[in-house]
Amino acid sequence: MDRLPAISGWHWIRDGIAIWRRQPNALGLVFLMYLSLNLLLLVVPYIGPLLVLLLNQVLTTAYMLACARVDAGDRAHPRQLFAYFRAPAFWKLGGLGLCYALASFIASTAMSWFAGPTLVSTMLNANSAVVALDPVAQVTLVESFMLGSVVYLLLIIPLWFAAPLMAWQGMGFAKAIFFSFFSTLRSAKAFIVYVFCWILINLFVVINVMAILGLLGMSSNAAVLSIMIPGMLILTMLRYCSYYTSYVQVFGKPQLPAEV
């Protein structure tokens, strides 16, 4: 695990996009199945949201497996999303999902503490009341969201490689987190560039899409429904692909089973 130069953060994104371009339809289908499974889990009475949190790393690692298959010259297939439901790593990945859920709770608590529960509730509801807020309240909302995002990133980045280390190298829970923490620490500059580049990419897409839709005279609701949401989903899919390429650059290509 050599120290990576800062430019590696951009290379992860570039290489992730290159992986997607090899089989955009197949990886897109796997990602749609990923979203569908999460929606199905959400509708489970009482425990749906908890299941989504616990299985988050199981499904995310499975999507990385699809990327690894593409990288190895094979085909991505939706059945690969179920690979770790029957693997020994299932319970370890579920425990890691609980760690991510805890990080999300801590980040939400930080947002609530900074902005106050009323403002945070208004932001999370994402309704027209946000528009009616005074400028100071709107700035506070933005600042609280930024604070929550920073807190969440600081908590999850040390866990960045833990899931694939559990699934692909057979590491135990504590050992995988240990190696993930120190590998991300040694790659800190690359992670800073990685996060910064994704922020710029998201801003570029949002600003340009909204500008084009404004010129076309489309309403904000129509923009969100017709273009913005699909655009954000595509960026999320590309980010998942770059998750795989970041692992490859640090630990090398994984040794996968003959067929999954």
Side-chain angles (χ1 to χ4, degrees):
M1 294 185 293
D2 297 330
R3 292 185 183 274
L4 297 178
I7 194 62
S8 296
W10 165 247
H11 292 165
W12 298 345
I13 299 174
R14 180 199 64 188
D15 295 344
I17 295 173
I19 291 286
W20 173 77
R21 290 181 62 187
R22 293 188 196 178
Q23 295 182 29
N25 294 333
L27 286 174
L29 181 60
V30 175
F31 186 72
L32 286 176
M33 180 64 75
Y34 171 91
L35 294 177
S36 299
L37 285 174
N38 277 285
L39 290 175
L40 287 174
L41 290 172
L42 277 175
V43 301
V44 175
Y46 305 112
I47 61 171
L50 179 61
L51 287 176
V52 171
L53 292 173
L54 292 178
L55 295 178
N56 172 266
Q57 290 304 299
V58 176
L59 294 174
T60 300
T61 308
Y63 189 82
M64 291 178 64
L65 173 64
C67 294
R69 285 298 181 192
V70 173
D71 195 23
D74 298 329
R75 293 289 299 176
H77 194 280
R79 68 172 178 271
Q80 290 157 358
L81 283 177
F82 301 96
Y84 299 111
F85 281 86
R86 58 183 182 272
F90 175 80
W91 295 107
K92 292 182 288 186
L93 293 173
L96 188 63
L98 189 60
C99 293
Y100 276 77
L102 180 61
S104 179
F105 173 77
I106 294 173
S108 299
T109 302
M111 291 171 60
S112 180
W113 169 79
F114 183 85
T118 302
L119 279 178
V120 172
S121 177
T122 300
M123 179 178 63
L124 294 179
N125 289 334
N127 55 33
S128 58
V130 176
V131 180
L133 294 174
D134 61 82
V136 175
Q138 292 186 29
V139 171
T140 302
L141 277 178
V142 173
E143 291 176 343
S144 67
F145 180 77
M146 293 176 63
L147 173 65
S149 299
V150 170
V151 170
Y152 184 71
L153 282 173
L154 289 176
L155 291 172
I156 68 165
I157 283 183
L159 305 175
W160 190 262
F161 300 115
L165 288 174
M166 294 175 188
W168 295 340
Q169 297 197 24
M171 290 187 182
F173 187 85
K175 184 177 180 180
I177 292 178
F178 175 85
F179 274 91
S180 177
F181 174 78
F182 282 101
S183 60
T184 54
L185 189 63
R186 294 175 65 86
S187 308
K189 293 180 180 179
F191 273 101
I192 291 173
V193 172
Y194 178 81
V195 172
F196 183 70
C197 285
W198 272 121
I199 291 173
L200 289 181
I201 291 171
N202 280 271
L203 285 175
F204 177 82
V205 171
V206 170
I207 291 172
N208 282 276
V209 167
M210 294 305 294
I212 292 172
L213 293 175
L215 292 174
L216 296 175
M218 295 180 65
S219 67
S220 58
N221 289 336
V224 170
L225 292 175
S226 63
I227 296 181
M228 194 61 72
I229 291 179
M232 291 298 103
L233 289 177
I234 291 173
L235 289 179
T236 301
M237 177 175 60
L238 295 177
R239 190 169 68 248
Y240 279 26
C241 293
S242 69
Y243 185 13
Y244 165 74
T245 54
S246 68
Y247 172 88
V248 168
Q249 188 164 18
V250 176
F251 294 97
K253 293 187 178 182
Q255 294 294 323
L256 300 175
E259 184 176 351
V260 178

